[in-house]
Amino acid sequence: MKERVIIIGSGFGGLGAAARLAARGYQVEVFEKRDQPGGRAYVYEQDGFKFDGGPTVVTAPFMFDDIFAAAGRRREDYVQFQALDPFYRIFDHHGRPFDYNDDTAFIAEQIRSRNPDDVAGYEEFMASTQAIFQKGFTELADKPFLGVGDMLRVAPDLIRLQSHRSVYNYVSRFIDDEFLRRCFTFHPLLIGGNPFDASSIYAMIHYLEREWGIHYVMGGTGALVRALVQLIEELNGHFHYNAAVSEIIIEGGRATGIRLADGTLHRADHVISNADVAWTYLNLIPGAARGLRNSDMRYNKLTRYSMSLVVIYFGTKKLYRHDGRLAHHNIILSERYKGLLTDIFNKKQLPDDFSLYLHMPTLTDPSIAPDGHESFYVLSPVPHLGSGTDWAQAARPYRDAIMQFLEDNYLPDLQANIVSEHMIDPRHFRDTLNSHMGAAFSIEPILTQSAWFRPHNRSEDIANLYFVGAGTHPGAGLPGVLSSSKIAEDLIVAAGERTAVRRGRPALGYSS
């Protein structure tokens, strides 16, 4: 009979693994705690609006194409991508914009308007990111780091590429203007990292964006979730919603299935957790089975976690798309940069000021809002729950400050025109998304928590247990979690081939 794979959670890591394994003939079942798929990409539908809960910046779209191609399908027959220009509009604290895209001549003019001397430095910076991209993404992103030897083999390259430097430190070698340094170093925040601590290996994001652009999913990111679910179901995969998992069953050192919150048992040959890695070990695996490396000490005391987020989804009865002020993706930077990030990441205190990501999808796709209405979400990085902030008291004043700022500076008469609103804060990441410490991106992307030092895609302690998603190698962001799904596929297929060889029969992805 076909090998059975259980996947806990239906974020993009879980969906990618499910589609790939179902295409190979595995019997795939996905168990999702919530009432619909997507994980962080959950869609909130209210008052005629579709608010994408999570990732809205789609890079490396070919990675989705590859998933559909593995099943003999074409992604464009299921869902459409729209290239964006500019990629981002970045505002300084005076409200002056800087547009960024993949047109080198255009970017040169944007830089020249700020600091002519930085044009040559930017070109040198981008040339340097090609080597980082080649090693960090092309060669290593979809390869597992399961043993210390895997790390030792790449250590010389990491040293050569100056991965010990932070992104900010690395960019500052090429760029002198402080605002431009901010424009070219904010990217780690999109995957949960502090630009002053995240390894310079993450500077490769610039090259990745230039190579394949930034895309929007027509119909919203939820349309991409639905397309993957449709593909998986066509391949005979099954989804179980409102099906919270309470325990991974460990027998003889092997993961043999799961127990749901209602007590139901489900057996499998392999278990993949797309839930937060720390939460999985601390809540789903009995303590005796965790092993020293994945102990309570590691995840409660030794691991550094990403920041959390406040996200406000809102729809307006007033149209703002015609004034030309905003782009699809807007980054609004505070006067403070390093100080703000130090407060959030290091001091773990909620600052009075904020930097914002303002998403305006109806500029590209009016269909996700009622006719004559505009859809937005605004996101602000905040400390994770290790800060001790009482969000029951802090949430409303923080929301009001953000909305008043937007009204005063970017969206006139905003609050009088809001007709739909939904807000999440760090409690949502802890209680609904099961992310340890309420971290929005799981484990912080620093050098000592990357590659072999990051939680592995295959458990060191428990056979047949695998991990995909933001908290495992290679990390957060859509390219990262999709790479983790490819790694899980490869590991499970390889395990099946080894078993088949031992049993003296062809390796076809089946077991007795």
Side-chain angles (χ1 to χ4, degrees), residues 111 115-119 121-122 168 171-182 184:
I111 293 172
N115 183 23
D117 293 341
D118 279 331
V119 173
Y122 172 76
Y168 186 88
V171 170
S172 296
R173 295 174 56 228
F174 305 96
I175 303 294
D176 291 328
D177 181 81
E178 173 57 24
F179 173 71
L180 292 176
R181 287 178 174 179
R182 298 178 183 191
F184 301 132

Side-chain angles (χ1 to χ4, degrees), residues 208-403:
L208 184 148
E209 290 180 343
R210 176 178 286 191
E211 189 77 0
W212 288 291
I214 297 291
H215 294 76
Y216 170 78
V217 183
M218 297 304 291
T221 308
L224 183 53
V225 171
R226 293 189 296 273
L228 287 167
V229 169
Q230 179 183 342
L231 173 66
I232 294 162
E233 290 179 336
E234 289 175 359
L235 298 170
N236 298 314
H238 297 280
F239 287 82
H240 304 266
Y241 302 113
N242 300 304
V245 175
S246 64
E247 183 182 356
I248 296 173
I249 305 301
I250 312 296
E251 297 173 324
R254 300 173 65 85
T256 60
I258 59 171
R259 177 178 288 108
L260 299 185
D262 64 7
T264 307
L265 292 177
H266 295 266
R267 297 289 182 176
D269 298 286
H270 307 276
V271 176
I272 300 175
S273 179
N274 186 204
D276 178 65
V277 174
W279 189 88
T280 299
Y281 272 110
L282 295 174
N283 295 276
L284 298 185
I285 299 173
R290 293 175 199 162
L292 181 62
R293 178 172 168 81
N294 291 297
S295 64
D296 290 13
M297 174 65 75
R298 176 185 187 181
Y299 291 111
N300 284 323
K301 301 294 185 182
L302 302 179
T303 300
R304 286 173 52 173
Y305 294 93
S306 83
M307 79 292 195
S308 193
L309 301 172
V310 165
V311 189
I312 308 164
Y313 311 88
F314 60 99
T316 66
K317 61 184 179 182
K318 177 179 178 179
L319 291 179
Y320 292 91
R321 68 190 71 165
H322 302 300
D323 64 10
R325 172 70 162 155
L326 298 171
H328 186 115
H329 297 302
N330 304 276
I331 308 293
I332 303 171
L333 295 174
S334 168
E335 183 174 5
R336 294 195 309 149
Y337 191 55
K338 184 174 184 179
L340 177 67
L341 295 173
T342 297
D343 286 348
I344 293 169
F345 283 90
N346 304 114
K347 294 181 180 180
K348 305 291 192 300
Q349 63 186 34
L350 183 64
D352 293 328
D353 56 338
F354 34 73
S355 288
L356 305 173
Y357 161 56
L358 179 61
H359 183 224
M360 188 179 178
T362 40
L363 197 61
T364 304
D365 182 9
S367 74
I368 62 169
D371 288 345
H373 291 69
E374 212 78 90
S375 179
F376 300 88
Y377 84 55
V378 61
L379 172 157
S380 179
V382 297
H384 62 57
L385 290 170
S387 70
T389 301
D390 181 359
W391 282 100
Q393 298 296 319
R396 185 67 192 189
Y398 196 76
R399 175 264 177 213
D400 290 347
I402 289 173
M403 301 305 268

